[in-house]
Amino acid sequence: MPLTSSPIGVFDSGVGGLSVLRALRAALPNERFVYLADSANAPYGERGDAYVSARTHAITRYLREQHHIKALVVACNTATAAAIHEVRSSYPDLPLVGLEPAIKPALAVTQTGRVGVIGTRGTLTSSKFGKLLASLDGQAQFVVQPCDGLAHAIERSVDLPEPAPGSAVGATETGALCERYIHAMGEFGTAPGQIDTLVLGCTHYIFVAHELRALVGPGVQFIETGEPVARQTRRLLESAGLLRNARAGALAHAAEYPDGGAAADAENEGPDEALSDVPNTRLLTTGSVAMLQAGAQRWLGLPADCCSTVSVP
Ligand code: DGL
């Protein structure tokens, strides 16, 4: 039986879901998290539904049985499209949050009425996405572009140094792919007929936002899902009575780190300084731990010892 002190599970095919974890940690600073990157089996985007669904089930079972998670965030658009309905019916008591390309919020932002959507082939050819698109028929023109290979290239680039300032976007593997797909979508900008809003429909893509920005120009709005997902997770936990408050977090910290001095902060309401130091996040990967460590350090500022390798057959 999960308790308020149980961790929230977060999973993705690889390091992309770290973008969602970053938003979750910011919005829910008293919670514990266990993140699983299925990097040995990434990318999911070009694998097909049956494979992605089997992985999603195996990982949900693993996180539930081995880590007693109290809620699960499927921080992967591709896995959500392939399997969220099945997971929901297999675990009716598990608060579950999935991700889909945020094309509805994009409607509120676009001025030109032309919205670009990038994501994996799996997500963008799914019936779930097809239905979402059909439900907004006539409200905007959506230019939908599957980006084969981009998530995989982002996985591979995690531990490479940042490109030198001023170097051409196309000089890196990720940059060359961004260039190819952005050019295939047509003209970006804020003039009539141009795409003025770009929906990042894959959690990996936020990590190449600077490359995308260099290609589309400053006026184009990017829409991603990390913050809305974090808000939805909070709402679900609240309504299930599973939200962990500052006092519980501080007491757990004091028990785990008797010299840490956090007990003095236990009466504080809301997030406090002491809690922000709690190593409340465990990061697991089925693939290379060095890559996960690089992503964790680079994008979340987390120490390497938060990361370990696991096997999830
Ligand atoms: N990050 C994932 C998504 O949001 C999947 C990337 C992949 O494995 O292809 O769709």
Side-chain angles (χ1 to χ4, degrees):
M1 183 69 188
L3 304 166
T4 53
S5 59
S6 302
I8 298 169
V10 184
F11 113 88
D12 180 39
S13 62
V15 295
L18 291 175
S19 61
V20 179
L21 180 65
R22 185 163 64 186
L24 285 164
R25 280 170 44 90
L28 297 162
N30 302 315
E31 297 292 345
R32 296 167 59 219
F33 296 95
V34 54
Y35 179 89
L36 195 135
D38 195 17
S39 291
N41 301 295
Y44 282 180
E46 294 120 57
R47 291 272 202 186
D49 281 1
Y51 184 89
V52 175
S53 175
R55 290 308 299 156
T56 305
H57 278 284
I59 289 165
T60 306
R61 195 177 323 115
Y62 166 82
L63 289 172
R64 188 74 165 171
E65 288 173 6
Q66 303 298 318
H67 295 276
H68 312 291
I69 55 168
K70 64 178 178 181
L72 177 65
V73 178
V74 180
C76 177
N77 294 264
T78 313
T80 301
I84 196 101
H85 292 309
E86 297 163 21
V87 173
R88 220 181 273 290
S89 56
S90 303
Y91 297 89
D93 59 332
L94 180 68
L96 190 61
V97 181
L99 264 71
E100 63 185 7
I103 61 174
K104 250 188 221 171
L107 288 179
V109 169
T110 181
Q111 297 290 314
T112 63
R114 275 177 76 73
V115 173
V117 187
I118 53 176
T120 68
R121 186 165 295 279
T123 300
L124 300 181
T125 60
S126 67
S127 60
K128 192 169 188 301
F129 181 72
K131 280 184 200 143
L132 178 64
L133 208 54
S135 74
L136 305 177
D137 194 29
Q139 297 188 47
Q141 275 184 302
F142 291 101
V143 181
V144 175
Q145 179 64 53
C147 299
D148 293 347
L150 182 55
H152 199 203
I154 294 168
E155 286 279 311
R156 282 197 300 265
S157 72
V158 167
D159 50 2
L160 299 180
E162 299 277 352
S167 57
V169 174
T172 60
E173 186 190 11
T174 52
L177 286 167
C178 289
E179 201 165 60
R180 182 199 306 167
Y181 294 126
I182 289 296
H183 286 164
M185 294 173 80
E187 259 189 69
F188 283 81
T190 52
Q194 293 182 327
I195 300 169
D196 70 348
T197 307
L198 181 63
V199 176
L200 309 187
C202 169
T203 52
H204 280 72
Y205 297 171
I206 192 157
F207 297 128
V208 287
H210 52 292
E211 287 163 323
L212 294 168
R213 173 64 65 207
L215 292 162
V216 301
V220 173
Q221 305 253 26
F222 289 175
I223 313 277
E224 57 95 23
T225 23
E227 284 174 22
V229 162
R231 284 197 295 274
Q232 167 70 355
T233 307
R234 169 179 274 278
R235 276 196 294 272
L236 272 187
L237 290 174
E238 250 163 5
S239 65
L242 287 171
L243 197 64
R244 192 179 194 219
N245 62 30
R247 179 178 170 77
L251 290 175
H253 176 68
E256 223 174 320
Y257 303 91
D259 300 327
D265 297 308
E267 298 300 331
N268 292 349
E269 284 297 313
D272 56 48
E273 287 302 310
L275 283 179
S276 64
D277 292 336
V278 178
N280 64 353
T281 301
R282 291 185 66 187
L283 304 174
L284 311 172
T285 178
T286 59
S288 151
V289 77
M291 272 175 51
L292 184 62
Q293 286 169 332
Q297 238 150 15
R298 185 164 179 173
W299 297 319
L300 281 86
L302 286 172
D305 62 5
C306 290
C307 304
S308 42
T309 312
V310 287
S311 159
V312 184

Short mmCIF file of all heavy atoms in Angstrom, two decimals, residues 12-13 43-45 76-78 120 123 151 202-204, ligand 1:
data_model
loop_
_atom_site.label_atom_id
_atom_site.label_comp_id
_atom_site.label_asym_id
_atom_site.label_seq_id
_atom_site.Cartn_x
_atom_site.Cartn_y
_atom_site.Cartn_z
N ASP A 12 10.94 7.26 -18.88
CA ASP A 12 11.04 7.62 -20.30
C ASP A 12 11.90 6.57 -20.97
O ASP A 12 12.58 5.78 -20.30
CB ASP A 12 11.68 9.02 -20.45
CG ASP A 12 11.81 9.44 -21.91
OD1 ASP A 12 10.88 9.16 -22.70
OD2 ASP A 12 12.84 10.02 -22.29
N SER A 13 11.89 6.59 -22.29
CA SER A 13 12.77 5.67 -23.03
C SER A 13 14.24 5.96 -22.72
O SER A 13 15.09 5.11 -22.94
CB SER A 13 12.54 5.84 -24.53
OG SER A 13 12.88 7.16 -24.91
N PRO A 43 15.87 4.26 -29.01
CA PRO A 43 14.66 5.06 -28.92
C PRO A 43 13.40 4.21 -29.11
O PRO A 43 13.44 3.17 -29.76
CB PRO A 43 14.82 6.02 -30.10
CG PRO A 43 15.61 5.25 -31.11
CD PRO A 43 16.51 4.33 -30.34
N TYR A 44 12.31 4.68 -28.51
CA TYR A 44 11.02 4.00 -28.67
C TYR A 44 10.32 4.43 -29.96
O TYR A 44 9.48 3.71 -30.48
CB TYR A 44 10.09 4.39 -27.51
CG TYR A 44 10.32 3.69 -26.18
CD1 TYR A 44 9.50 4.01 -25.10
CD2 TYR A 44 11.31 2.73 -26.00
CE1 TYR A 44 9.66 3.40 -23.87
CE2 TYR A 44 11.48 2.11 -24.76
CZ TYR A 44 10.65 2.45 -23.69
OH TYR A 44 10.81 1.85 -22.48
N GLY A 45 10.65 5.63 -30.41
CA GLY A 45 9.85 6.30 -31.44
C GLY A 45 9.68 5.55 -32.73
O GLY A 45 8.68 5.72 -33.42
N CYS A 76 6.98 10.32 -21.40
CA CYS A 76 7.32 9.92 -22.76
C CYS A 76 6.04 9.95 -23.58
O CYS A 76 5.09 9.20 -23.29
CB CYS A 76 7.91 8.50 -22.72
SG CYS A 76 8.28 7.83 -24.34
N ASN A 77 6.01 10.80 -24.58
CA ASN A 77 4.82 10.89 -25.43
C ASN A 77 4.57 9.58 -26.17
O ASN A 77 3.44 9.16 -26.36
CB ASN A 77 5.02 12.00 -26.47
CG ASN A 77 5.09 13.38 -25.84
OD1 ASN A 77 4.10 14.08 -25.77
ND2 ASN A 77 6.27 13.76 -25.38
N THR A 78 5.66 8.92 -26.59
CA THR A 78 5.54 7.71 -27.40
C THR A 78 4.92 6.57 -26.57
O THR A 78 4.02 5.87 -27.03
CB THR A 78 6.93 7.29 -27.92
OG1 THR A 78 7.58 8.44 -28.47
CG2 THR A 78 6.82 6.22 -28.98
N THR A 120 8.02 12.02 -32.17
CA THR A 120 8.50 10.78 -32.79
C THR A 120 7.44 10.26 -33.76
O THR A 120 6.26 10.63 -33.68
CB THR A 120 8.77 9.69 -31.73
OG1 THR A 120 7.52 9.28 -31.16
CG2 THR A 120 9.71 10.17 -30.64
N THR A 123 4.56 8.58 -31.88
CA THR A 123 3.55 9.49 -31.31
C THR A 123 2.66 10.07 -32.41
O THR A 123 1.43 10.06 -32.31
CB THR A 123 4.24 10.67 -30.58
OG1 THR A 123 5.05 10.15 -29.54
CG2 THR A 123 3.23 11.64 -30.01
N ALA A 151 15.65 11.86 -31.31
CA ALA A 151 15.75 11.48 -29.88
C ALA A 151 17.01 10.64 -29.65
O ALA A 151 17.72 10.82 -28.66
CB ALA A 151 14.50 10.73 -29.44
N CYS A 202 8.02 15.69 -27.91
CA CYS A 202 8.89 14.60 -27.42
C CYS A 202 9.72 15.20 -26.30
O CYS A 202 10.27 16.31 -26.47
CB CYS A 202 9.78 14.08 -28.55
SG CYS A 202 11.10 12.98 -27.99
N THR A 203 9.81 14.49 -25.19
CA THR A 203 10.47 15.08 -24.02
C THR A 203 11.97 15.27 -24.23
O THR A 203 12.59 16.04 -23.51
CB THR A 203 10.21 14.23 -22.77
OG1 THR A 203 10.57 12.86 -23.04
CG2 THR A 203 8.76 14.29 -22.36
N HIS A 204 12.54 14.59 -25.20
CA HIS A 204 13.96 14.79 -25.48
C HIS A 204 14.24 16.18 -26.09
O HIS A 204 15.33 16.72 -25.94
CB HIS A 204 14.47 13.75 -26.49
CG HIS A 204 14.78 12.41 -25.91
ND1 HIS A 204 13.81 11.53 -25.49
CD2 HIS A 204 15.96 11.78 -25.69
CE1 HIS A 204 14.39 10.42 -25.04
NE2 HIS A 204 15.69 10.54 -25.16
N1 DGL B 1 11.15 10.98 -25.12
C1 DGL B 1 10.20 10.20 -25.78
C2 DGL B 1 8.93 10.92 -26.16
O1 DGL B 1 8.55 11.87 -25.50
C3 DGL B 1 10.61 9.16 -26.77
C4 DGL B 1 11.84 9.32 -27.57
C5 DGL B 1 12.20 8.00 -28.23
O2 DGL B 1 12.60 7.10 -27.49
O3 DGL B 1 12.05 7.87 -29.45
O4 DGL B 1 8.25 10.55 -27.07
#
